[in-house]
């Protein structure tokens, strides 16, 4: 096999979810793209990797020191939604239902993977709260074991701010989910969190 | 969303089989890779797209004017296996059952897609045969409608060489299957069971 082909297949194979066969197909696709398009793609990858920053306030990906959400005076600066990762911000933004700010932890506490609270942007969150003006922190952390650990840790840290309202996104049955296939823990929690229908 | 992130997600989304969600996951993976690894990847992509050649004899991908298979004196230069595309050469090589040469057509005849015989490397194949020394041509074309058309066309062209044995790989491959996706055992058996075309 051509060494150049071998190299590019090897590089593609390092990407998550890309096996040798997919890597080969991607390489063959490159030959059908014109050279300018391939150059644009690789430049875009390099630029992203080398130039993207983390917002100094919320730790979201940003082109500037402060991301457009934190810099937007139209958003509600009294509410911070705490999420694990950057893609969670995108998921919530796609709902068009939330007008507050975010705080990206950069992961969850996981002793198994050696991720301790100090590896997450928790101190930065506390600094933001201490700077004043924040009335509510919404914890939008996933329901994994690590997620629950992180939630518990955050609740303990945030309890020390007397006037701060701490909320967590509702646990319940997802839209379109069939009860038959939902796990017992979720059903139990959804039952406990039941609300009166007006 | 960060413009840099938006750009790279857009570029990844252009790749076959990559949707927006996968593109996002790939972008996030780039941030976990160190900068040197990302640079190596993009350099490998650029180098492949700009430097890879097609073997002037068999039309296979090659780093040099003549590919390592055509240049190998240990291979059987009296036998040429004709395939549609580069990945088919890799599939056959992976069986370790074939020691002859190849000829990559670069596609199949497809009036629907506007691919006529002159768009394929058929003249180059005839030149190789006319240069002498070739005793057998194995047609390893897939069993699609376009493949059968191409097979028929090739048989008509190659019939004019009186001493040339023309064979086709055995029909052990299911109708509609593409060689690229067939397992090595089936390909190996289909090669062994090739039969002379009367």
């Amino acid at each position: 096999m051509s060494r150049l082909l071998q190299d590019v297949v090897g590089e593609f194979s390092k990407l998550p979810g890309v096996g040798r066969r997919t890597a080969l197909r991607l390489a063959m696709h490159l030959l059908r793209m014109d050279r300018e398009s391939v150059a644009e793609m690789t430049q875009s990858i390099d630029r992203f990797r080398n130039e993207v920053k983390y917002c100094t306030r919320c730790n979201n990906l940003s082109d500037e020191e402060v991301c457009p959400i934190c810099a937007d005076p139209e958003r509600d600066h009294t509410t911070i939604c705490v999420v694990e990762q950057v893609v969670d911000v995108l998921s919530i933004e796609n709902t068009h239902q939330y007008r507050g700010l975010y705080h990206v932890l950069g992961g969850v506490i996981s002793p198994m993977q050696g991720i301790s609270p100090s590896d997450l942007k928790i101190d930065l969150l506390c600094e933001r709260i201490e700077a004043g003006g924040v009335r509510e922190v919404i914890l939008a952390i996933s329901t994994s074991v690590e997620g629950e650990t992180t939630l518990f840790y955050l609740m303990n840290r945030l309890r020390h701010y007397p006037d701060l309202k701490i909320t967590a996104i509702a646990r319940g049955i997802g839209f379109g989910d069939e009860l038959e296939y939902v796990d017992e823990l979720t059903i139990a929690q959804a039952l406990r969190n039941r609300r009166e229908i007006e």
Side-chain angles (χ1 to χ4, degrees), chain A residues 76-82 98 100-103 125 128-129 134-139:
Chain A
D76 172 12
H77 283 240
T78 68
T79 309
I80 295 177
C81 181
V82 178
Y98 180 69
L101 306 182
Y102 292 96
H103 193 84
L125 174 64
R128 289 177 76 185
I129 296 163
V134 181
R135 259 179 276 160
E136 181 180 354
V137 167
I138 305 170
L139 303 175

Side-chain angles (χ1 to χ4, degrees), chain A residues 112-127:
Chain A
M112 294 283 286
Q113 289 178 53
I115 301 170
S116 72
S118 62
D119 296 316
L120 307 177
K121 295 287 175 185
I122 296 173
D123 288 343
L124 187 64
L125 174 64
C126 293
E127 282 168 30

Side-chain angles (χ1 to χ4, degrees), chain A residues 82-124:
Chain A
V82 178
V83 295
E84 289 171 43
Q85 45 177 352
V86 172
V87 287
D88 299 337
V89 173
L90 301 174
S91 296
I92 295 177
E93 282 298 284
N94 285 340
T95 69
H96 302 289
Q97 298 285 314
Y98 180 69
R99 294 298 299 160
L101 306 182
Y102 292 96
H103 193 84
V104 180
L105 292 177
V108 277
I109 298 167
S110 170
M112 294 283 286
Q113 289 178 53
I115 301 170
S116 72
S118 62
D119 296 316
L120 307 177
K121 295 287 175 185
I122 296 173
D123 288 343
L124 187 64

Side-chain angles (χ1 to χ4, degrees), chain A residues 122 125-126 129-130 135-137 139 148-167:
Chain A
I122 296 173
L125 174 64
C126 293
I129 296 163
E130 282 157 20
R135 259 179 276 160
E136 181 180 354
V137 167
L139 303 175
E148 295 286 353
T149 308
T150 310
L151 201 73
F152 189 74
Y153 179 87
L154 280 171
M155 273 158 54
N156 270 325
R157 283 283 294 263
L158 300 178
R159 232 192 280 278
H160 300 295
Y161 303 107
D163 298 327
L164 186 69
K165 186 171 161 188
I166 308 166
T167 58

